[in-house]
Amino acid sequence: MKLLPLKAAIAAALLTLATSAWAKPLVVCTEASPEGFDIVQFTTAVTADAAAETLFNRLVDFKPGTVDIQPALAESWEISPDGLRYTFHLRQGVKFHSTDYFKPTRTLNADDVLWSFQRQLDPKHPWHDKSSVGFPYFESMGFKELLKSVEKVDEHTVVFTLTRRESPFLADIAMAFASIYPAEYADQLLKAGKTAELNSKPIGTGPFVFNRYAKDAQVRFKANPEYFRGAPPADPLIFAITTDNNVRLQKLKANECQIALYPKPDDIPSIKTNPNLKLAELAAMITSYTAMNTTRPYISDVRVRKAIDIAFDKQAYVDSLYGKDNAILGTGPYPPTLLGFNRSLTNPARDLDKARALLKEAGVPEGTVLTLFTRNGGGPTNPNPLLGAQMMQSDLAQIGLKLDIRVMEWGEMLKRAKNGEHDLVTAGWAGDNGDPDNFVTPNLSCDAAKNGENYARWCNKAFQALIDQARADTEPTQRAALYEKAQLVFAEDQPWIPTAYPKMFTAMRKNVEGYHQNPLTNNNFATTQVK
């Protein structure tokens, strides 16, 4: 029986009321402000959460809570026998967000994929020079050299041709920098001379639609009713920016937010015993480290880097910042959950006399001042940045080095570290795709040293040759052996002080359901709801 017009209108109204009554707001207390919403310009996890995980999709992505690849905007793909051609077949009928500043006239097609990659790849592309910081991930991952071409076969088929075999290619394009943008919206902004609005008024295909951003206060999103995987059960989604982890926990207890990211390790026991709260924990793909700027006076000498390393009491640092059983002492550039982790690496014994001798040998005057950049607030890679900096300051004072601690807002610290203004900087990295290449190439490659993402500004030809070879190899055992050798080069030349492989914690109210903690540390709330 067909509904008459009036009955149809009443039914639609009742459905709208039922849906709005069912969907409840979800407030997430986050640890920092996003750098922007044009995700290809940025590499931080907080920006990925606020843009890549909410607003955008990629050709492929990861199954929730895993590092397994699944179809996304591409519903299927084929790989040529030589591993150089990837043919993607796009999902049809996927809609871009409709807002007061953009009304799409068509659904997703191959032109959007071409625009999203050619913008980063082709220096002649009209949008290539519109990024104020370039395309740091695309560049540091070597995609300029990797991609020979990206071509449209028809409206829903795209072919990527590579210059070489790349074992982690599918995992790489599941990452935030491979997000797909609407070419139609880009054309609109370019014609209007408003290209900067791509970063402040984003449009994607993701589970949430951007509403507004109050800097250092909150980001608001609306549920996308036309999301191709189904409308999210939370509406609206609000990121309440709360840099202090104590305040995040207070807000959670008061139900001002229903999820609080990255609680302090000291607070874990009290969260577990609170009847209104619950805790998710995971041995995530995270490494914490202090990068030493190898282009700076004195730090350019490996003897000085070795002296700093053996003077720093890393075990005391890890115990104080992370607490017992919440982190493993770091030894290399990535954690033991990944392929090729070199278990032969160990931390040398703390030796102040040897450290002083190395400094004297390198000609470092007593009382030399080094700058250490660190962030305010706290996150999973560094729960208490100021305390950690002060501990290092005290340790280095014992060998005649003075540490000038500079505490900065997260985005400012990253900007200045990329410019190479530091001697040392406390940093961390959360894996994006479950492959060891994702740790070593963006953070320690020669390309990353050029664009500043490699905070040590370290370029070692032997290390580079090994990780290049490992990227091209598809046999896991051979790849593992190459990464093990690369880690020996890293340890010998000491561009970092690896400090910890921390666990990741997420605190939430008991009535939160559908949240999947991600080993890659991204937070996606497309299936999360408050009951």
Side-chain angles (χ1 to χ4, degrees), residues 271-327:
I271 294 169
K272 287 182 175 179
T273 58
N274 189 308
N276 298 315
L277 306 181
K278 60 183 177 179
L279 190 76
E281 62 181 273
L282 187 68
M285 295 177 185
I286 303 176
T287 188
S288 301
Y289 64 95
T290 297
M292 295 181 278
N293 188 343
T294 59
T295 65
R296 300 281 282 188
Y298 301 122
I299 305 291
S300 60
D301 191 321
V302 68
R303 293 170 295 184
V304 176
R305 302 196 294 273
K306 294 285 188 186
I308 293 171
D309 181 58
I310 61 175
F312 182 40
D313 191 340
K314 282 172 277 195
Q315 189 64 63
Y317 175 93
V318 171
D319 290 346
S320 297
L321 265 66
Y322 301 94
K324 188 178 179 182
D325 301 326
N326 292 334

Short mmCIF file of all heavy atoms in Angstrom, two decimals, residues 271-327:
data_model
loop_
_atom_site.label_atom_id
_atom_site.label_comp_id
_atom_site.label_asym_id
_atom_site.label_seq_id
_atom_site.Cartn_x
_atom_site.Cartn_y
_atom_site.Cartn_z
N ILE A 271 40.49 5.67 38.25
CA ILE A 271 39.50 5.52 37.18
C ILE A 271 38.92 4.10 37.21
O ILE A 271 37.71 3.91 37.06
CB ILE A 271 40.13 5.83 35.81
CG1 ILE A 271 40.52 7.31 35.72
CG2 ILE A 271 39.16 5.48 34.67
CD1 ILE A 271 41.37 7.64 34.52
N LYS A 272 39.78 3.12 37.42
CA LYS A 272 39.32 1.73 37.42
C LYS A 272 38.35 1.44 38.57
O LYS A 272 37.50 0.54 38.46
CB LYS A 272 40.54 0.79 37.51
CG LYS A 272 41.35 0.72 36.22
CD LYS A 272 42.51 -0.27 36.35
CE LYS A 272 43.25 -0.42 35.04
NZ LYS A 272 44.41 -1.36 35.15
N THR A 273 38.46 2.18 39.65
CA THR A 273 37.59 1.92 40.81
C THR A 273 36.37 2.83 40.84
O THR A 273 35.51 2.66 41.70
CB THR A 273 38.38 2.09 42.12
OG1 THR A 273 38.94 3.41 42.18
CG2 THR A 273 39.51 1.07 42.21
N ASN A 274 36.27 3.79 39.93
CA ASN A 274 35.12 4.69 39.90
C ASN A 274 33.92 3.98 39.28
O ASN A 274 34.00 3.51 38.14
CB ASN A 274 35.47 5.95 39.10
CG ASN A 274 34.40 7.04 39.20
OD1 ASN A 274 33.23 6.79 38.98
ND2 ASN A 274 34.82 8.24 39.54
N PRO A 275 32.79 3.88 39.97
CA PRO A 275 31.64 3.11 39.45
C PRO A 275 31.00 3.71 38.21
O PRO A 275 30.27 3.02 37.50
CB PRO A 275 30.66 3.11 40.63
CG PRO A 275 31.03 4.31 41.44
CD PRO A 275 32.51 4.46 41.30
N ASN A 276 31.27 4.99 37.93
CA ASN A 276 30.66 5.64 36.77
C ASN A 276 31.56 5.64 35.54
O ASN A 276 31.14 6.09 34.48
CB ASN A 276 30.31 7.10 37.12
CG ASN A 276 29.29 7.19 38.23
OD1 ASN A 276 28.29 6.47 38.22
ND2 ASN A 276 29.54 8.05 39.20
N LEU A 277 32.80 5.16 35.70
CA LEU A 277 33.77 5.25 34.62
C LEU A 277 34.28 3.87 34.22
O LEU A 277 34.14 2.90 34.95
CB LEU A 277 34.96 6.12 35.05
CG LEU A 277 34.68 7.52 35.57
CD1 LEU A 277 35.99 8.23 35.92
CD2 LEU A 277 33.87 8.33 34.56
N LYS A 278 34.87 3.81 33.03
CA LYS A 278 35.57 2.61 32.58
C LYS A 278 36.79 3.04 31.78
O LYS A 278 36.91 4.21 31.39
CB LYS A 278 34.65 1.71 31.76
CG LYS A 278 34.07 2.33 30.49
CD LYS A 278 33.12 1.35 29.80
CE LYS A 278 32.47 1.99 28.58
NZ LYS A 278 31.56 1.05 27.88
N LEU A 279 37.67 2.08 31.54
CA LEU A 279 38.95 2.41 30.95
C LEU A 279 39.28 1.43 29.84
O LEU A 279 39.12 0.22 30.00
CB LEU A 279 40.04 2.35 32.03
CG LEU A 279 41.42 2.88 31.67
CD1 LEU A 279 41.41 4.41 31.65
CD2 LEU A 279 42.45 2.39 32.68
N ALA A 280 39.74 1.95 28.72
CA ALA A 280 40.29 1.11 27.65
C ALA A 280 41.80 1.28 27.66
O ALA A 280 42.30 2.40 27.81
CB ALA A 280 39.72 1.52 26.30
N GLU A 281 42.53 0.19 27.55
CA GLU A 281 43.99 0.28 27.51
C GLU A 281 44.55 -0.66 26.46
O GLU A 281 43.97 -1.70 26.16
CB GLU A 281 44.60 0.00 28.88
CG GLU A 281 44.34 -1.38 29.44
CD GLU A 281 44.99 -1.53 30.82
OE1 GLU A 281 46.19 -1.91 30.85
OE2 GLU A 281 44.31 -1.28 31.83
N LEU A 282 45.70 -0.26 25.91
CA LEU A 282 46.24 -0.98 24.77
C LEU A 282 47.74 -0.73 24.67
O LEU A 282 48.21 0.39 24.91
CB LEU A 282 45.57 -0.47 23.48
CG LEU A 282 45.83 -1.17 22.17
CD1 LEU A 282 45.24 -2.58 22.18
CD2 LEU A 282 45.22 -0.37 21.02
N ALA A 283 48.49 -1.76 24.34
CA ALA A 283 49.91 -1.60 24.03
C ALA A 283 50.00 -1.07 22.60
O ALA A 283 50.13 -1.83 21.64
CB ALA A 283 50.66 -2.92 24.17
N ALA A 284 49.87 0.23 22.48
CA ALA A 284 49.74 0.85 21.16
C ALA A 284 51.08 0.98 20.46
O ALA A 284 52.15 0.73 21.04
CB ALA A 284 49.10 2.23 21.32
N MET A 285 51.01 1.36 19.19
CA MET A 285 52.22 1.56 18.39
C MET A 285 52.71 2.99 18.60
O MET A 285 52.49 3.88 17.79
CB MET A 285 51.91 1.28 16.92
CG MET A 285 51.54 -0.17 16.68
SD MET A 285 51.08 -0.49 14.97
CE MET A 285 50.57 -2.21 15.10
N ILE A 286 53.38 3.18 19.74
CA ILE A 286 53.83 4.51 20.14
C ILE A 286 55.29 4.44 20.57
O ILE A 286 55.71 3.49 21.23
CB ILE A 286 53.01 5.05 21.34
CG1 ILE A 286 51.51 5.09 21.02
CG2 ILE A 286 53.49 6.44 21.74
CD1 ILE A 286 50.66 5.52 22.20
N THR A 287 56.06 5.45 20.19
CA THR A 287 57.40 5.61 20.73
C THR A 287 57.58 7.04 21.21
O THR A 287 57.10 7.99 20.57
CB THR A 287 58.48 5.24 19.70
OG1 THR A 287 59.75 5.24 20.32
CG2 THR A 287 58.49 6.19 18.52
N SER A 288 58.24 7.21 22.34
CA SER A 288 58.57 8.52 22.89
C SER A 288 60.08 8.69 22.82
O SER A 288 60.83 7.73 23.06
CB SER A 288 58.10 8.63 24.34
OG SER A 288 56.71 8.44 24.43
N TYR A 289 60.52 9.91 22.52
CA TYR A 289 61.95 10.12 22.34
C TYR A 289 62.31 11.58 22.53
O TYR A 289 61.44 12.46 22.54
CB TYR A 289 62.40 9.64 20.96
CG TYR A 289 61.79 10.41 19.80
CD1 TYR A 289 62.46 11.48 19.21
CD2 TYR A 289 60.55 10.05 19.27
CE1 TYR A 289 61.91 12.19 18.15
CE2 TYR A 289 59.99 10.74 18.20
CZ TYR A 289 60.67 11.81 17.64
OH TYR A 289 60.13 12.50 16.60
N THR A 290 63.60 11.84 22.68
CA THR A 290 64.13 13.19 22.61
C THR A 290 65.04 13.25 21.39
O THR A 290 66.01 12.48 21.29
CB THR A 290 64.94 13.55 23.88
OG1 THR A 290 64.06 13.53 25.00
CG2 THR A 290 65.55 14.94 23.75
N ALA A 291 64.69 14.10 20.43
CA ALA A 291 65.50 14.25 19.22
C ALA A 291 66.61 15.26 19.48
O ALA A 291 66.38 16.31 20.10
CB ALA A 291 64.64 14.71 18.05
N MET A 292 67.81 14.95 19.01
CA MET A 292 68.95 15.86 19.14
C MET A 292 69.28 16.41 17.75
O MET A 292 69.54 15.65 16.82
CB MET A 292 70.13 15.12 19.75
CG MET A 292 69.85 14.66 21.18
SD MET A 292 71.23 13.79 21.98
CE MET A 292 71.01 12.12 21.33
N ASN A 293 69.26 17.71 17.63
CA ASN A 293 69.41 18.38 16.34
C ASN A 293 70.86 18.29 15.87
O ASN A 293 71.73 19.04 16.32
CB ASN A 293 68.97 19.84 16.46
CG ASN A 293 68.92 20.55 15.12
OD1 ASN A 293 69.50 20.09 14.14
ND2 ASN A 293 68.25 21.69 15.08
N THR A 294 71.11 17.37 14.94
CA THR A 294 72.48 17.07 14.52
C THR A 294 73.10 18.17 13.67
O THR A 294 74.27 18.04 13.26
CB THR A 294 72.51 15.74 13.74
OG1 THR A 294 71.65 15.84 12.59
CG2 THR A 294 72.07 14.58 14.61
N THR A 295 72.37 19.25 13.38
CA THR A 295 72.95 20.37 12.62
C THR A 295 73.41 21.50 13.54
O THR A 295 73.96 22.48 13.06
CB THR A 295 71.92 20.92 11.62
OG1 THR A 295 70.81 21.49 12.34
CG2 THR A 295 71.41 19.85 10.68
N ARG A 296 73.19 21.37 14.85
CA ARG A 296 73.53 22.44 15.78
C ARG A 296 74.96 22.29 16.31
O ARG A 296 75.50 21.18 16.34
CB ARG A 296 72.55 22.43 16.95
CG ARG A 296 71.10 22.62 16.55
CD ARG A 296 70.76 24.05 16.28
NE ARG A 296 70.57 24.78 17.55
CZ ARG A 296 70.12 26.02 17.64
NH1 ARG A 296 69.81 26.68 16.54
NH2 ARG A 296 69.98 26.60 18.80
N PRO A 297 75.56 23.43 16.74
CA PRO A 297 76.90 23.34 17.33
C PRO A 297 76.93 22.34 18.48
O PRO A 297 75.97 22.24 19.25
CB PRO A 297 77.14 24.77 17.85
CG PRO A 297 76.28 25.64 16.98
CD PRO A 297 75.06 24.81 16.68
N TYR A 298 78.01 21.62 18.57
CA TYR A 298 78.26 20.59 19.57
C TYR A 298 77.38 19.34 19.37
O TYR A 298 77.88 18.22 19.34
CB TYR A 298 78.09 21.11 21.01
CG TYR A 298 79.00 22.26 21.34
CD1 TYR A 298 78.50 23.49 21.77
CD2 TYR A 298 80.39 22.13 21.22
CE1 TYR A 298 79.35 24.55 22.07
CE2 TYR A 298 81.24 23.19 21.51
CZ TYR A 298 80.71 24.40 21.92
OH TYR A 298 81.55 25.45 22.22
N ILE A 299 76.07 19.51 19.19
CA ILE A 299 75.18 18.35 19.00
C ILE A 299 75.52 17.62 17.71
O ILE A 299 75.21 16.43 17.54
CB ILE A 299 73.69 18.78 18.99
CG1 ILE A 299 73.34 19.56 20.25
CG2 ILE A 299 72.77 17.58 18.86
CD1 ILE A 299 73.32 18.75 21.51
N SER A 300 76.16 18.30 16.77
CA SER A 300 76.54 17.66 15.51
C SER A 300 77.60 16.57 15.72
O SER A 300 77.79 15.71 14.86
CB SER A 300 77.07 18.69 14.53
OG SER A 300 78.21 19.36 15.07
N ASP A 301 78.26 16.60 16.89
CA ASP A 301 79.29 15.61 17.21
C ASP A 301 78.64 14.43 17.92
O ASP A 301 78.01 14.58 18.96
CB ASP A 301 80.34 16.27 18.12
CG ASP A 301 81.59 15.42 18.29
OD1 ASP A 301 81.46 14.18 18.41
OD2 ASP A 301 82.70 15.99 18.34
N VAL A 302 78.81 13.22 17.37
CA VAL A 302 78.18 12.05 17.94
C VAL A 302 78.65 11.79 19.37
O VAL A 302 77.92 11.22 20.20
CB VAL A 302 78.41 10.80 17.05
CG1 VAL A 302 79.87 10.39 17.05
CG2 VAL A 302 77.52 9.65 17.49
N ARG A 303 79.86 12.23 19.71
CA ARG A 303 80.35 12.04 21.08
C ARG A 303 79.51 12.82 22.08
O ARG A 303 79.27 12.35 23.20
CB ARG A 303 81.83 12.46 21.17
CG ARG A 303 82.78 11.57 20.39
CD ARG A 303 84.17 12.14 20.32
NE ARG A 303 84.20 13.38 19.54
CZ ARG A 303 85.32 14.05 19.27
NH1 ARG A 303 86.51 13.60 19.68
NH2 ARG A 303 85.27 15.17 18.56
N VAL A 304 79.05 13.98 21.66
CA VAL A 304 78.20 14.79 22.54
C VAL A 304 76.83 14.12 22.71
O VAL A 304 76.28 14.05 23.81
CB VAL A 304 78.04 16.22 21.99
CG1 VAL A 304 77.08 17.05 22.85
CG2 VAL A 304 79.40 16.91 21.90
N ARG A 305 76.31 13.59 21.61
CA ARG A 305 75.02 12.90 21.68
C ARG A 305 75.12 11.66 22.57
O ARG A 305 74.21 11.37 23.35
CB ARG A 305 74.54 12.52 20.28
CG ARG A 305 74.39 13.73 19.34
CD ARG A 305 73.56 13.43 18.11
NE ARG A 305 74.14 12.47 17.19
CZ ARG A 305 74.98 12.77 16.21
NH1 ARG A 305 75.37 14.03 16.03
NH2 ARG A 305 75.44 11.84 15.38
N LYS A 306 76.22 10.94 22.46
CA LYS A 306 76.44 9.77 23.32
C LYS A 306 76.56 10.18 24.78
O LYS A 306 76.06 9.49 25.69
CB LYS A 306 77.71 9.02 22.89
CG LYS A 306 77.65 8.38 21.52
CD LYS A 306 76.81 7.12 21.53
CE LYS A 306 76.91 6.39 20.19
NZ LYS A 306 75.99 5.23 20.14
N ALA A 307 77.23 11.30 25.03
CA ALA A 307 77.41 11.78 26.41
C ALA A 307 76.06 12.12 27.03
O ALA A 307 75.78 11.77 28.19
CB ALA A 307 78.33 13.00 26.42
N ILE A 308 75.20 12.80 26.27
CA ILE A 308 73.87 13.15 26.78
C ILE A 308 73.07 11.89 27.08
O ILE A 308 72.40 11.77 28.11
CB ILE A 308 73.14 14.06 25.77
CG1 ILE A 308 73.84 15.41 25.67
CG2 ILE A 308 71.67 14.24 26.15
CD1 ILE A 308 73.34 16.30 24.55
N ASP A 309 73.18 10.92 26.19
CA ASP A 309 72.42 9.68 26.35
C ASP A 309 72.82 8.93 27.62
O ASP A 309 71.95 8.48 28.38
CB ASP A 309 72.64 8.78 25.12
CG ASP A 309 71.87 7.48 25.20
OD1 ASP A 309 70.63 7.54 25.33
OD2 ASP A 309 72.49 6.40 25.15
N ILE A 310 74.11 8.81 27.89
CA ILE A 310 74.53 8.00 29.05
C ILE A 310 74.47 8.79 30.35
O ILE A 310 74.58 8.21 31.44
CB ILE A 310 75.94 7.40 28.85
CG1 ILE A 310 76.99 8.48 28.67
CG2 ILE A 310 75.93 6.41 27.70
CD1 ILE A 310 78.41 7.93 28.58
N ALA A 311 74.27 10.12 30.26
CA ALA A 311 74.09 10.91 31.48
C ALA A 311 72.64 10.94 31.94
O ALA A 311 72.35 11.19 33.12
CB ALA A 311 74.58 12.34 31.26
N PHE A 312 71.72 10.67 31.02
CA PHE A 312 70.29 10.79 31.30
C PHE A 312 69.79 9.50 31.94
O PHE A 312 69.95 8.41 31.38
CB PHE A 312 69.55 11.08 30.00
CG PHE A 312 68.07 11.27 30.14
CD1 PHE A 312 67.52 11.97 31.21
CD2 PHE A 312 67.20 10.76 29.18
CE1 PHE A 312 66.16 12.15 31.33
CE2 PHE A 312 65.83 10.94 29.29
CZ PHE A 312 65.31 11.63 30.37
N ASP A 313 69.17 9.62 33.09
CA ASP A 313 68.63 8.46 33.81
C ASP A 313 67.25 8.12 33.24
O ASP A 313 66.21 8.53 33.75
CB ASP A 313 68.55 8.76 35.30
CG ASP A 313 68.27 7.50 36.13
OD1 ASP A 313 67.77 6.52 35.56
OD2 ASP A 313 68.53 7.53 37.34
N LYS A 314 67.25 7.30 32.19
CA LYS A 314 66.00 7.00 31.48
C LYS A 314 65.04 6.15 32.30
O LYS A 314 63.83 6.32 32.21
CB LYS A 314 66.32 6.31 30.15
CG LYS A 314 66.80 7.27 29.08
CD LYS A 314 67.28 6.55 27.84
CE LYS A 314 68.69 6.10 28.04
NZ LYS A 314 69.39 5.71 26.82
N GLN A 315 65.59 5.24 33.09
CA GLN A 315 64.70 4.40 33.89
C GLN A 315 63.93 5.23 34.91
O GLN A 315 62.72 5.04 35.10
CB GLN A 315 65.49 3.31 34.61
CG GLN A 315 64.60 2.27 35.28
CD GLN A 315 63.77 1.47 34.29
OE1 GLN A 315 64.30 0.75 33.45
NE2 GLN A 315 62.44 1.60 34.38
N ALA A 316 64.61 6.18 35.57
CA ALA A 316 63.93 7.06 36.53
C ALA A 316 62.88 7.91 35.81
O ALA A 316 61.80 8.16 36.34
CB ALA A 316 64.95 7.94 37.24
N TYR A 317 63.21 8.36 34.61
CA TYR A 317 62.29 9.17 33.80
C TYR A 317 61.02 8.39 33.49
O TYR A 317 59.90 8.88 33.69
CB TYR A 317 63.02 9.57 32.52
CG TYR A 317 62.21 10.33 31.49
CD1 TYR A 317 62.19 11.71 31.47
CD2 TYR A 317 61.51 9.64 30.49
CE1 TYR A 317 61.47 12.41 30.50
CE2 TYR A 317 60.79 10.31 29.52
CZ TYR A 317 60.78 11.70 29.53
OH TYR A 317 60.06 12.37 28.56
N VAL A 318 61.19 7.16 33.00
CA VAL A 318 60.03 6.35 32.63
C VAL A 318 59.18 6.01 33.85
O VAL A 318 57.96 6.09 33.82
CB VAL A 318 60.49 5.07 31.89
CG1 VAL A 318 59.33 4.10 31.70
CG2 VAL A 318 61.08 5.42 30.54
N ASP A 319 59.85 5.65 34.96
CA ASP A 319 59.11 5.31 36.18
C ASP A 319 58.31 6.50 36.69
O ASP A 319 57.16 6.35 37.15
CB ASP A 319 60.08 4.83 37.27
CG ASP A 319 60.68 3.47 36.95
OD1 ASP A 319 60.16 2.79 36.05
OD2 ASP A 319 61.68 3.12 37.60
N SER A 320 58.90 7.69 36.62
CA SER A 320 58.24 8.89 37.17
C SER A 320 57.10 9.37 36.27
O SER A 320 56.05 9.78 36.76
CB SER A 320 59.26 10.03 37.34
OG SER A 320 60.24 9.67 38.27
N LEU A 321 57.29 9.33 34.95
CA LEU A 321 56.29 9.88 34.04
C LEU A 321 55.17 8.89 33.72
O LEU A 321 54.01 9.31 33.57
CB LEU A 321 56.93 10.34 32.74
CG LEU A 321 57.30 11.83 32.70
CD1 LEU A 321 58.40 12.14 33.70
CD2 LEU A 321 57.71 12.25 31.30
N TYR A 322 55.47 7.62 33.60
CA TYR A 322 54.48 6.66 33.13
C TYR A 322 53.95 5.72 34.21
O TYR A 322 52.86 5.19 34.08
CB TYR A 322 55.06 5.82 31.98
CG TYR A 322 55.52 6.65 30.80
CD1 TYR A 322 56.83 7.07 30.70
CD2 TYR A 322 54.63 7.04 29.82
CE1 TYR A 322 57.26 7.84 29.63
CE2 TYR A 322 55.04 7.81 28.74
CZ TYR A 322 56.36 8.22 28.65
OH TYR A 322 56.77 8.99 27.60
N GLY A 323 54.75 5.53 35.27
CA GLY A 323 54.33 4.62 36.31
C GLY A 323 54.66 3.18 35.99
O GLY A 323 54.91 2.82 34.83
N LYS A 324 54.62 2.34 37.00
CA LYS A 324 54.98 0.94 36.85
C LYS A 324 54.02 0.23 35.89
O LYS A 324 52.80 0.40 35.97
CB LYS A 324 54.97 0.25 38.22
CG LYS A 324 55.52 -1.16 38.19
CD LYS A 324 55.52 -1.77 39.58
CE LYS A 324 56.06 -3.19 39.55
NZ LYS A 324 56.03 -3.82 40.89
N ASP A 325 54.57 -0.55 34.98
CA ASP A 325 53.82 -1.40 34.05
C ASP A 325 53.04 -0.63 32.98
O ASP A 325 52.26 -1.22 32.24
CB ASP A 325 52.83 -2.32 34.80
CG ASP A 325 53.52 -3.23 35.79
OD1 ASP A 325 54.66 -3.65 35.50
OD2 ASP A 325 52.92 -3.51 36.84
N ASN A 326 53.24 0.69 32.89
CA ASN A 326 52.52 1.48 31.89
C ASN A 326 53.36 1.83 30.68
O ASN A 326 52.86 2.46 29.74
CB ASN A 326 51.97 2.76 32.52
CG ASN A 326 50.87 2.49 33.52
OD1 ASN A 326 50.18 1.46 33.43
ND2 ASN A 326 50.70 3.37 34.48
N ALA A 327 54.64 1.47 30.70
CA ALA A 327 55.52 1.75 29.56
C ALA A 327 56.74 0.84 29.65
O ALA A 327 57.14 0.40 30.73
CB ALA A 327 55.95 3.21 29.56
#
